[in-house]
Amino acid sequence: MRGSFDQFGTLPPASPVVVSVPHAGRDYPLPLRAAAAVPVASMLALEDRHVDAVALAAHGGETLLIQRVARAWIDLNRAEDERDPLIDDGAAAIPAGAAATKLRSGLGLVPRRAAPGVMLWRRRLADDEVRARIVADHRPYHAAVAAALQAARERFGAALLIDLHSMPSLPGARPARWVIGDRFGRSAGGRLVHAIEGEIAAAGHAVALNAPYPGGHILSRHGRPADNVHAIQIEIDRRLYLDARLDAPGPGLDSTAALLRRLLAIAAEELTGGITALAAE
């Protein structure tokens, strides 16, 4: 245990795959609860509810990082400068363009809302408050991810970050139950992405690529395919592994974790057996 996250696995790493779970934290610090305009129950919509249980059940020795502090406190999948001027005294103006869409919607480095129409904070946040969260929680997590990927690459010649999330059910007649994000090909080699996509499809699940979740700051920060350091986001429909109330792990957790286990093994095999091909993509 270190800082506000837990890290599992050995050094040197047992696998070229590193797994990150940044949004499943269920610790709500007292300063958060004191400044919040809503009870903790209203903040649960920000969580990737219990997807850490899937990651732990699938764990086979890879380096695994799980954030314990809730996303309502700070969002590790946002850059340090994605600060919201509507609540944050240290934030710059929101820039124009599609890149600021999440920030304008209230999902910046420190979320402004707990759910659509549910404002999270009862007061503005001082610059030093947000900076303290960056120093204590955001930077240590990203430093640990970077160190794990470097160690994996040094040992195996290539590394892959699987950034694990969960999502509400998507609309449609046969919606995707798993969504793979690779920043539209910028954060990972195509061989890895297609191997993972194929295994999910073979398991009988509808799977989508980059729609509607192409991946965020974690992928753009850590994915460097040209250096054989890849990063892929995986979103799992919560109904696959939670109970009927979408509140606790349910009967589908074992099968979901078993599929994730296969994805991690396939990715490791691709990395160790196809390094030259990946580097040439």
Side-chain angles (χ1 to χ4, degrees), residues 102-124:
K102 291 288 188 182
L103 183 53
R104 284 194 294 270
S105 73
L107 296 177
L109 179 69
V110 176
R112 182 188 346 128
R113 63 173 176 84
V118 181
M119 295 300 103
L120 181 51
W121 305 101
R122 62 180 178 83
R123 62 170 177 81
R124 292 184 62 81

Side-chain angles (χ1 to χ4, degrees), residues 69-213:
V69 176
R71 182 184 179 187
W73 179 250
I74 193 165
D75 190 337
L76 302 177
N77 204 23
R78 300 289 180 265
E80 290 185 15
D81 61 356
E82 291 185 78
R83 297 173 60 172
D84 190 335
L86 295 181
I87 58 163
D88 180 347
D89 286 342
I94 298 176
T101 299
K102 291 288 188 182
L103 183 53
R104 284 194 294 270
S105 73
L107 296 177
L109 179 69
V110 176
R112 182 188 346 128
R113 63 173 176 84
V118 181
M119 295 300 103
L120 181 51
W121 305 101
R122 62 180 178 83
R123 62 170 177 81
R124 292 184 62 81
L125 304 177
D127 179 37
D128 59 355
E129 288 182 87
V130 178
R131 288 183 181 275
R133 298 181 196 186
I134 292 171
V135 171
D137 304 305
H138 193 276
R139 289 180 184 170
Y141 189 89
H142 282 281
V145 170
L149 289 169
Q150 180 178 346
R153 186 184 182 282
E154 288 176 354
R155 181 172 188 188
F156 297 100
L160 168 66
L161 176 66
I162 295 289
D163 195 43
L164 187 65
H165 298 256
S166 70
M167 63 183 183
S169 296
L170 298 174
R174 190 173 184 266
R177 309 298 297 276
W178 295 66
V179 176
I180 302 168
D182 67 353
R183 304 286 293 174
F184 301 100
R186 295 192 297 272
S187 69
R191 283 171 55 95
L192 280 167
V193 174
H194 296 318
I196 290 172
E197 184 180 24
E199 184 64 23
I200 296 171
H205 294 290
V207 56
L209 180 60
N210 291 314
Y213 304 111

Side-chain angles (χ1 to χ4, degrees), residues 35 246 258:
L246 301 180

Side-chain angles (χ1 to χ4, degrees), residues 19-42:
V19 182
S20 161
V21 186
H23 285 169
R26 293 181 292 279
D27 289 354
Y28 290 82
L30 180 59
L32 184 159
R33 289 180 275 134
V38 294
V40 167
S42 296

